[in-house]
Amino acid sequence: MLRFGTAGLRGPLQDGPDGMNVTTVSRATAGIVEWLRGRCLGGGAVIVGRDARHGSAEFATATAEIFAAAGFPVTLLPRPLPTPVVAYAVRALGAVAGVQITASHNPAGDNGYKVYLDGGSQLLAPADTEIERCIDAVTEPVDRVPVAPADDEIVDSYLSRVAALPSTIGGPGARSALRIALTPLHGVGGDLVVRALAAAGFTDVHVVDEQFEPDPDFPTVAFPNPEEPGATDLLLALAARVGADVALALDPDADRCAVGVPLPDNSWRMLRGDETGVLLGDCVLRTAPPDALVATTIVSSRLLSELAQARGARYAETLTGFKWLARAGDGLVYAYEEAIGHCVDPAAVRDKDGISAAVLTADLVARLKSAGRTLTDVLDDYAVEFGLHTTDQVSLRLASAAAAADMVARLRTDPPRLIAGEPVEYTDQLQVRGRMRTDALIFEGPATRLVVRPSGTEPKLKCYLEVVTPVADPAALPAARAAAGERLSELRKFCLEL
């Protein structure tokens, strides 16, 4: 039976309790209805949205009609829309819950059911297990009442908020002079991100035509994830062809944003999530109130913590996932995870949001361009100020999730004291009390950090690598990069031999 994982359900489109189908969706909705009633939230407003995947329209309709039959006022969003719109709507309309039908960047044969609770944050324990018990108790057929889709009012409100970010967070810049290459990877973010960019003053936008319209089959990519090798090839080719200043890629439900940058030799590369994370974090902190809070996760780079200290801000670290990051603490102004998820406006959207991240990135590039600088120039500045923080990830695909957990258990029983020749200290996150307890191992040396954990959504063992290399001055950067590359190669070899 499909169980609640990261923020809800996700699985293959197939019949039976182990697949995503109308029966699974109906039972999940009926369970949430009973859970809300048990907390005296019956009759509160509910938001329902969807992406453009196979089955999404049918699942969203069933979800909305079941809530309506149970007496909840339902706002059914008018068409396939990005996931952040649901997160925004829950918060803006004071809803008790929201559901987005989406499988994010999963393969075309999957779909999912993402749940937001009051305040617009993702579902969090113990609510997930409590709802599962309510779902298990559903035995009767579920009533449904027709629901008319809403108009565009909440969508327009979201766009207005996003378009205003450059003036509230950014600063003056020649926005009309910026040329952007863009792809939504066959997802639902294309129209909204172009509209948001235009409203913010960015009108010179070139899109990957083959990937612009929503297509649930994702025909031009093996995996519709901007992090996957080859997924952004068409984008970077377009960026080079039109002479763009920046390349932006959204994942299919537009809650994540990847950034591509030109290099001095006229080639292009995609920034790592940690690189974009610190760039946007610094951008937000430049206009944030004193003692503001920024946050990232235990598997991300340590660079944000050093930057926060230098900028007089507070820093928090959480477990992976925005269900934790959105709850990092009072005064939160920015959060990111290394998997290209960025929350640049937590007052409005308590989740990662690729559209607002794209707009703020464009604004940052425009302001740097007007000063004759680039994103890579700023990253070089960080390397000199804080040391070169170089990150990488190794994912080992295994036969099952249990196999990944077994590998972590073996490491836990006999943890290495040397990794790639460097002594390391060992932290077992299962031995940590409170919210930071999770099935992960952290190994840290003087210049090396390695986090190992089983994936929460796939049969994979994930290894997160970081090397910190001192940089005396800009002239020392090439040698530092070479040394860091060699060290990362040693760490990758260690991980592949686990």
Side-chain angles (χ1 to χ4, degrees):
M1 193 169 185
L2 281 187
R3 313 304 293 182
F4 271 70
T6 303
L9 301 169
R10 195 179 296 183
L13 288 161
Q14 62 188 28
D15 293 336
D18 59 342
M20 283 295 298
N21 51 67
V22 171
T23 300
T24 296
V25 167
S26 298
R27 284 175 55 85
T29 306
I32 294 173
V33 164
E34 292 307 312
W35 184 84
L36 290 170
R37 285 172 172 168
R39 278 142 191 82
C40 301
L41 296 173
V46 173
I47 314 297
V48 178
R50 65 179 175 96
D51 64 12
R53 285 176 175 267
H54 293 296
S56 288
E58 187 178 13
F59 297 162
T61 298
T63 300
E65 291 180 350
I66 291 165
F67 275 120
F72 291 80
V74 178
T75 297
L76 175 60
L77 296 182
R79 59 186 179 281
L81 287 166
T83 295
V85 176
V86 172
Y88 172 81
V90 171
R91 193 165 179 83
L93 300 178
V96 298
V99 174
Q100 171 79 344
I101 305 299
T102 182
S104 189
H105 55 276
N106 275 38
D110 288 358
N111 213 326
Y113 184 101
K114 188 171 186 179
V115 180
Y116 294 92
L117 300 182
D118 60 306
S121 295
Q122 293 180 20
L123 178 72
L124 184 70
D128 50 2
T129 55
E130 294 169 352
I131 290 172
E132 282 186 339
R133 287 194 291 269
C134 292
I135 294 171
D136 291 340
V138 176
T139 58
E140 300 295 327
V142 183
D143 293 333
R144 293 170 59 167
V145 169
V147 175
D151 59 24
D152 268 7
E153 182 178 359
I154 192 65
V155 181
D156 292 341
S157 173
Y158 166 79
L159 281 173
S160 296
R161 176 83 185 199
V162 172
L165 287 175
S167 60
T168 57
I169 295 177
R175 293 170 190 145
S176 61
L178 193 75
R179 177 163 292 179
I180 299 169
L182 172 74
T183 180
L185 279 184
H186 301 293
V188 296
D191 176 63
L192 252 65
V193 72
V194 170
R195 289 171 60 189
L197 287 166
F202 303 102
T203 56
D204 191 0
V205 179
H206 299 253
V207 303
V208 179
D209 291 330
E210 304 95 314
Q211 298 174 334
F212 190 75
E213 295 299 326
D215 188 330
D217 294 317
F218 307 107
T220 68
V221 290
F223 294 97
N225 180 351
E227 294 181 291
E228 290 287 340
T232 58
D233 285 356
L234 290 176
L235 171 69
L236 296 185
L238 171 67
R241 189 164 63 248
V242 302
D245 298 297
V246 66
L248 302 172
L250 304 180
D251 73 338
D253 70 330
D255 65 351
R256 303 193 305 152
C257 178
V259 178
V261 295
L263 301 178
D265 63 358
N266 295 319
S267 65
W268 282 74
R269 79 170 179 96
M270 299 302 294
L271 297 181
R272 298 191 65 83
D274 283 316
E275 292 176 307
T276 308
V278 72
L279 286 164
L280 291 180
D282 199 10
C283 177
V284 171
L285 284 176
R286 297 288 182 181
T287 56
D291 205 33
L293 176 69
V294 294
T296 190
T297 73
I298 62 171
V299 303
S300 300
S301 169
R302 304 302 89 195
L303 181 54
L304 183 64
S305 66
E306 298 179 38
L307 182 136
Q309 183 177 8
R311 303 292 186 261
R314 292 177 295 129
Y315 170 80
E317 198 170 286
T318 75
L319 299 181
T320 56
F322 267 86
K323 63 183 180 182
W324 300 108
L325 282 170
R327 297 173 171 91
D330 294 336
L332 181 69
V333 296
Y334 175 74
Y336 92 91
E337 58 184 0
E338 54 78 37
I340 60 173
H342 310 279
C343 176
V344 303
D345 187 17
V349 178
R350 290 264 163 174
D351 199 2
K352 54 188 178 291
D353 182 351
I355 294 176
S356 61
V359 170
L360 196 61
T361 299
D363 181 67
L364 175 58
V365 175
R367 286 188 286 114
L368 289 171
K369 183 180 179 181
S370 66
R373 309 196 73 222
T374 66
L375 294 179
T376 51
D377 291 335
V378 179
L379 290 172
D380 288 350
D381 292 345
Y382 296 150
V384 174
E385 185 176 0
F386 304 110
L388 178 65
H389 288 63
T390 312
T391 60
D392 200 358
Q393 183 184 144
V394 174
S395 291
L396 304 177
R397 184 171 290 277
L398 304 171
S400 65
D406 287 345
M407 289 185 72
V408 176
R410 289 198 299 272
L411 275 175
R412 180 174 287 115
T413 301
D414 185 21
R417 300 302 177 185
L418 286 174
I419 293 181
E422 182 176 341
V424 292
E425 297 291 330
Y426 159 67
T427 302
D428 182 355
Q429 289 295 128
L430 273 184
Q431 304 301 318
V432 176
R433 295 185 177 183
R435 286 190 168 187
M436 294 299 287
R437 186 177 186 272
T438 190
D439 189 8
L441 307 176
I442 301 176
F443 303 93
E444 294 184 89
T448 300
R449 190 170 188 270
L450 171 65
V451 183
V452 181
R453 72 176 183 94
S455 170
T457 57
E458 301 174 273
K460 287 182 178 180
L461 182 74
K462 291 194 170 183
C463 305
Y464 303 85
L465 293 55
E466 181 170 29
V467 172
V468 181
T469 310
V471 180
D473 53 51
L477 272 168
R481 289 197 178 96
E486 292 177 6
R487 185 66 182 163
L488 277 180
S489 295
E490 294 173 0
L491 288 177
R492 279 193 293 267
K493 181 179 178 182
F494 172 84
C495 295
L496 292 171
E497 293 175 349
L498 287 175

